[in-house]
Amino acid sequence: MDLIQYINSKIKFNAEECAAINAAFKKEFHPKGTCLVQPDNRSPKVYFIEEGLVRLFYINQEGKDITHFFFDENNFTMSVESVYFNNPDPYGREVLEDSTLRIIHFKEFADLFEKITPFRTFCFLVAMGMLKRFSDRLFSLQFQTAEQRYKYFTDNYHNILLRAPLGDVASYLGITQQTLSVIRGKK
């Protein structure tokens, strides 16, 4: 779904508001394997995934690449650390499959937020949805077994399981790829 279709599925915008939003978000195509930003960046960009899959990752103290989150179609991602706290973002963003992204500088995003009242409501809904997803993930890592985390992931993010490399899925679940293979073998 393209950006304008998506925002109108949540909140109704008039034609002028849609045109302003559409013009502000630039469309970019990124091939599989593109690193949008490295960890420890100060990216001022907001990304909307129209088509494709983006992985949020960090490098742990041992130098290992760890998947923190996945963003598929109709999701936004940005560096909260950079745009709100002026700190380096520990997370990088990598394109896992050919992707069409809509990208805007945060300053322009904030201008839309100030000028278009329904956009504020839309952003609030998006933020609450992301907060819920991160809360669910934290709960999962703290209180669920590896098998329970895998079941939750397959029940709720089956499309990502089919599209992301298994090593990235295992990393996201907080398990080794070997453990993931054992769990999948039991199913």
Side-chain angles (χ1 to χ4, degrees), residues 63-80:
K64 186 174 179 183
D65 177 311
I66 305 293
T67 299
H68 183 64
F69 216 77
F70 295 102
F71 296 95
D72 60 354
E73 291 83 8
N74 304 324
N75 278 287
F76 287 87
T77 180
M78 69 178 199
S79 171
V80 173

Side-chain angles (χ1 to χ4, degrees), residues 134-146 148-149 172-174:
F134 280 115
S135 177
D136 290 346
R137 173 150 167 70
L138 181 59
F139 176 86
S140 171
L141 290 171
Q142 288 183 314
F143 301 111
Q144 292 181 327
T145 66
Q148 289 169 324
R149 288 194 302 272
Y172 172 81
L173 295 172

Side-chain angles (χ1 to χ4, degrees), residues 38-79:
Q38 291 289 336
D40 297 318
N41 69 80
R42 289 184 182 269
S43 175
K45 296 180 178 179
V46 178
Y47 302 90
F48 175 76
I49 296 93
E50 281 190 343
E51 185 178 341
L53 184 62
V54 174
R55 173 178 83 105
L56 191 67
F57 70 99
Y58 63 95
I59 308 299
N60 71 8
Q61 293 175 339
E62 292 82 39
K64 186 174 179 183
D65 177 311
I66 305 293
T67 299
H68 183 64
F69 216 77
F70 295 102
F71 296 95
D72 60 354
E73 291 83 8
N74 304 324
N75 278 287
F76 287 87
T77 180
M78 69 178 199
S79 171

